[in-house]
């Protein structure tokens, strides 16, 4: 990345992504409405930077990713990518850089200690659909729709496929990837891509409400559980049970588990210390 490119990205970061902290819940808002919140180089840099900051911030207990404008995200910025075809290598190095940057952000979401909830108000396509699938939970407006339409323009949604195929049944994922057809919010819930469908205009408040419910739990316990959930998915049944049993033992020895169990027995509210 050139110094000029880096400077441009730094200048854009403050406006393409907005952050608001609300009593332990961090709201990140995609703010490129004019470009349908495409995941440009600047947007990916901003998301990566904020996720790194949030991961180290113990005051933040949950994250909501929302978007301004009619679209949640149209995926990669195709105009930005196409402009690099004039490079000496026809854009190969830049394309590789952008695919890796996007993949890194999606992995950051999965590995973030705090749960991440997508609040989807409109269309989420290609890498925008990937972003929704990468979040731990998702609340969709009834007007929202989801698609991986790369096949329609000769560009199979291979990286969105990774997150999509880990969220929905194989044949549903293949149908979306092979046809490019959009699915409704109700279909997305039935397929397992989103958790809830709510009246349009309430998706952000509902996602924040869900985030606050999670934020009221022990952050230490939530962190342990989220990490264990994703790790055991890649294991055999026997290995998953062995690993989960080890996690349970360590969790039982944590202060918050002792406090939570005692509070349950004593019929009182627990006092979390997040360790």
């Amino acid at each position: 990345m050139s110094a000029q490119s880096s400077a441009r990205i730094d200048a854009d970061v403050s406006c393409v992504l907005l952050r608001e902290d609300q009593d332990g819940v961090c709201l990140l808002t995609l703010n490129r409405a004019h470009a349908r919140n495409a995941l440009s180089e600047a947007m990916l840099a901003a998301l990566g930077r904020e996720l790194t900051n949030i991961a180290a911030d113990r005051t933040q207990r949950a994250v909501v990713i929302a978007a301004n404008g009619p679209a949640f995200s149209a995926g990669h910025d195709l105009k930005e990518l196409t402009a690099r075809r004039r490079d000496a290598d026809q854009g190969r190095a830049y394309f590789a850089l952008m695919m890796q940057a996007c993949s890194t952000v999606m992995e950051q979401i999965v590995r973030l200690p705090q749960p991440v909830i997508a609040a989807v108000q409109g269309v989420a396509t290609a890498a925008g659909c990937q972003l929704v699938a990468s979040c731990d939970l998702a609340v969709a407006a009834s007007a929202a729709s989801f698609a991986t339409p790369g096949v329609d323009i000769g560009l199979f949604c291979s990286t969105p496929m990774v997150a999509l195929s880990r969220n929905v049944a194989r044949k549903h994922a293949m149908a979306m990837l092979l046809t490019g057809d959009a699915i409704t919010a109700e279909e997305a819930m039935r397929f397992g891509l989103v958790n809830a469908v709510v009246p349009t205009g309430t998706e952000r408040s509902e996602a924040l409400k869900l985030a606050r419910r999670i934020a009221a739990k022990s952050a230490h316990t939530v962190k342990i559980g989220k990490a264990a959930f994703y790790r055991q998915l890649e294991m055999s049944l026997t290995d998953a049970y062995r690993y989960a049993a080890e996690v349970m033992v360590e969790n039982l020895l944590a202060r918050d588990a002792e406090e939570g169990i005692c509070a349950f027995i004593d019929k009182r509210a627990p006092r979390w210390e997040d360790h």
Side-chain angles (χ1 to χ4, degrees), residues 124 126 129-134 146-149 156-178 181 183 188 191-194:
C129 185
Q130 179 185 5
L131 179 57
V132 176
S134 296
F146 306 83
T148 48
F156 199 84
C157 285
S158 298
T159 45
M161 172 183 69
V162 175
L164 186 67
S165 64
R166 283 163 168 74
N167 278 258
V168 307
R170 182 175 299 181
K171 284 184 169 55
H172 288 316
M174 285 298 287
M176 290 179 67
L177 292 161
L178 291 172
D181 293 346
I183 62 171
F191 291 179
L193 183 58
V194 304

Side-chain angles (χ1 to χ4, degrees), residues 69-83:
F72 178 76
S73 176
H76 286 291
D77 190 323
L78 296 180
K79 291 181 179 178
E80 188 176 71
L81 293 174
T82 298

Side-chain angles (χ1 to χ4, degrees), residues 2-84:
S2 68
Q4 182 179 5
S5 176
S6 178
R8 175 178 54 76
I9 293 169
D10 288 342
D12 290 345
V13 159
S14 61
C15 62
V16 299
L17 183 70
L18 308 178
R19 174 173 174 173
E20 182 182 354
D21 296 345
Q22 306 178 1
D23 299 322
V25 175
C26 180
L27 173 64
L28 298 179
T29 306
L30 309 184
N31 193 41
R32 296 188 73 212
H34 66 284
R36 298 174 67 80
N37 292 311
L39 301 180
S40 63
E41 187 175 356
M43 180 72 84
L44 290 170
L47 277 167
R49 188 172 302 179
E50 286 303 330
L51 290 170
T52 296
N53 292 338
I54 292 166
D57 187 348
R58 294 191 63 183
T59 67
Q60 301 308 314
R61 307 169 74 88
V63 179
V64 171
I65 297 180
N68 287 332
F72 178 76
S73 176
H76 286 291
D77 190 323
L78 296 180
K79 291 181 179 178
E80 188 176 71
L81 293 174
T82 298
R84 299 305 289 263

Side-chain angles (χ1 to χ4, degrees), residues 7 25 70 77 81 84 94 117 122 127 139-140 145 162 167 174-176 192 213 215 219-220 234 239 241 243 251:
V25 175
D77 190 323
L81 293 174
R84 299 305 289 263
Y94 186 75
I117 305 168
V139 176
S145 61
V162 175
N167 278 258
M174 285 298 287
M176 290 179 67
R213 283 175 56 198
H220 180 67
E234 306 302 323
D239 288 344
Y241 270 118
Y243 165 67
N251 196 171

Side-chain angles (χ1 to χ4, degrees), residues 216 218 255-256 259-264 268-273:
S218 160
R255 184 270 168 197
D256 275 1
E259 164 62 14
I261 293 168
C262 288
F264 177 78
R268 60 175 175 80
R271 294 180 291 270
W272 306 126
E273 294 183 11

